[in-house]
Amino acid sequence: MNNGNILTVNNLKTYFQTEDGVVKAVDGITFELKKGETLGIVGESGSGKSVTNLSIMRLIPEPPGKIVDGEIIFDGKNIRQLSLEDVRKIRGKRIAMIFQDPMTSLNPFLRISTQLTEVTELHLNHTPEQAYQHAVKMLEMVGIPDAENRVDAYPHEFSGGMRQRVMIAMALSCEPELLIADEPTTALDVTIQAQILELIKDLREKLGTSVILITHDLGVVAGMTDKIIVMYAGKVFEQAPTKELFATPANPYTKGLLKSVPDPAHEAGTDLYQIPGLPPDVAHLPPGCPFAPRCEKVQGICRQDYPPFVQINENHWSLCHFAKETYQESLQEKEAKDGK
């Protein structure tokens, strides 16, 4: 019935009521995630990436926010229709989340052991002794040395990378079926970033966990994901298998993001590429395409009519009036680059 999908999101809309008006932070998102698959969600700040995943977890603060429409089908059940008590049984046990900032996600007043044991005592009915031993085991699994002695430390006694590992240990304590990693490598140095990503990859392979990876870093999603969603102004602008999206993007915004990644072969003394302008105010979007004011390929129709979601092939979609032309252009650029 669910075609092997662990998660299906249909037409999800999450709005926030503000003094400036209604902010459509997520406005009609649709995607599927299969068991054991990794989905990357990319886009500039304010595009709706984190709100999408907080909506899946039912963690949107009400007020000012509200999920106003759509379905969040997890393992055949619509999370939107469940009681809060039932959602709490899923959160932490079947769906876990690594939050953005490890510096503020842990309670500074509680020992690491206390924060790790309460998860398994609640969801796995562990005795305090079982939960403590499990906490040590989880810290060892995420690569924290001398875990037995460090489990009773406070968060301030750990580095940023170690705290992020603790957050991952906490998220994986109940072996969730779905792990949402919201920029898990933000504010970490490059070496630690690589270790954290390798850890998530290893655990996905060992436990068969499905992963949603939210990040600004296109290099991260290139090596970690099976497919990618590109978000802009609360909408899915493009979705495709990872390799295909990198090789032949069919949306000018995606092309702009890819061009913004610094190239090691960049000519010295010349400016790095950047997408002109700033992301729009989602409370006051312009008519037509939200990206039109910044788009290098903008035409009159783009400023007047909202773009269609065009199907390029079976698994590749793009929100653009000129999606097929952009795709053909990318194809030609790829062929020229490959020397065909």
Side-chain angles (χ1 to χ4, degrees), residues 149-180:
N149 291 319
R150 303 204 67 185
V151 69
D152 287 319
Y154 287 94
H156 73 266
E157 298 177 79
F158 282 66
S159 66
M162 288 291 194
R163 270 181 266 190
Q164 190 64 294
R165 286 168 186 263
V166 171
M167 289 300 300
I168 293 171
M170 195 181 297
L172 294 168
S173 282
C174 299
E175 298 190 3
E177 293 149 69
L178 172 60
L179 174 67
I180 300 171

Side-chain angles (χ1 to χ4, degrees), residues 235-293:
K235 295 277 190 183
V236 172
F237 256 51
E238 186 164 8
Q239 62 183 51
T242 302
K243 286 181 181 176
E244 186 172 335
L245 186 122
F246 274 83
T248 50
N251 194 292
Y253 177 58
T254 309
K255 291 192 80 166
L257 286 178
L258 293 170
K259 277 171 72 179
S260 301
V261 177
D263 185 349
H266 182 78
E267 194 178 325
T270 58
D271 290 339
L272 293 168
Y273 177 82
Q274 63 178 22
I275 300 173
L278 294 168
D281 175 359
V282 284
H284 305 98
L285 288 172
C289 176
F291 187 58

Side-chain angles (χ1 to χ4, degrees), residues 15-290:
Y15 296 172
F16 290 83
Q17 194 70 47
T18 71
E19 291 177 1
D20 291 335
V22 176
V23 172
K24 297 179 179 180
V26 171
D27 195 19
I29 297 293
T30 296
F31 65 87
E32 295 176 342
L33 181 67
K34 287 188 166 41
K35 290 180 180 178
E37 196 171 49
T38 298
L39 168 72
I41 302 182
V42 300
E44 293 168 289
S45 293
S47 60
K49 304 184 301 295
S50 294
V51 174
T52 297
N53 290 287
L54 288 171
S55 300
I56 291 169
M57 298 281 283
R58 289 266 304 266
L59 287 173
I60 297 295
E62 295 187 29
K66 190 175 183 184
I67 302 171
V68 298
D69 198 8
E71 295 179 317
I72 305 160
I73 311 294
F74 174 72
D75 198 21
K77 291 180 182 174
N78 189 349
I79 289 177
R80 271 199 74 204
Q81 294 175 346
L82 296 178
S83 67
L84 268 178
E85 189 180 337
D86 286 338
V87 173
R88 285 193 191 105
K89 288 174 186 173
I90 292 173
R91 258 192 231 138
K93 183 177 183 182
R94 302 188 66 195
I95 305 178
M97 190 164 181
I98 303 168
F99 292 93
Q100 262 189 40
D101 186 3
M103 302 298 183
T104 57
S105 298
L106 292 167
N107 188 325
F109 298 105
L110 297 178
R111 296 180 189 275
I112 297 296
S113 55
T114 305
Q115 298 184 60
L116 279 171
T117 55
E118 66 180 359
V119 182
T120 54
E121 284 180 27
L122 176 67
H123 289 302
L124 302 181
N125 297 319
H126 277 180
T127 63
E129 178 57 32
Q130 286 173 325
Y132 189 87
Q133 292 306 320
H134 188 73
V136 173
K137 184 179 128 192
M138 291 306 298
L139 290 185
E140 286 171 348
M141 190 167 86
V142 297
I144 290 182
D146 197 20
E148 210 162 317
N149 291 319
R150 303 204 67 185
V151 69
D152 287 319
Y154 287 94
H156 73 266
E157 298 177 79
F158 282 66
S159 66
M162 288 291 194
R163 270 181 266 190
Q164 190 64 294
R165 286 168 186 263
V166 171
M167 289 300 300
I168 293 171
M170 195 181 297
L172 294 168
S173 282
C174 299
E175 298 190 3
E177 293 149 69
L178 172 60
L179 174 67
I180 300 171
D182 191 354
E183 300 193 27
T185 57
T186 300
L188 302 179
D189 64 63
V190 183
T191 313
I192 301 298
Q193 276 188 30
Q195 290 174 3
I196 296 294
L197 293 171
E198 198 57 40
L199 177 64
I200 292 172
K201 197 185 283 187
D202 286 349
L203 295 169
R204 185 192 73 172
E205 288 168 8
K206 282 178 193 167
L207 305 176
T209 307
S210 303
V211 180
I212 297 177
L213 179 64
I214 309 164
T215 181
H216 289 281
D217 193 331
L218 289 164
V220 167
V221 289
M224 286 284 293
T225 61
D226 300 301
K227 59 186 181 184
I228 295 177
I229 287 174
V230 179
M231 287 189 69
Y232 186 80
K235 295 277 190 183
V236 172
F237 256 51
E238 186 164 8
Q239 62 183 51
T242 302
K243 286 181 181 176
E244 186 172 335
L245 186 122
F246 274 83
T248 50
N251 194 292
Y253 177 58
T254 309
K255 291 192 80 166
L257 286 178
L258 293 170
K259 277 171 72 179
S260 301
V261 177
D263 185 349
H266 182 78
E267 194 178 325
T270 58
D271 290 339
L272 293 168
Y273 177 82
Q274 63 178 22
I275 300 173
L278 294 168
D281 175 359
V282 284
H284 305 98
L285 288 172
C289 176

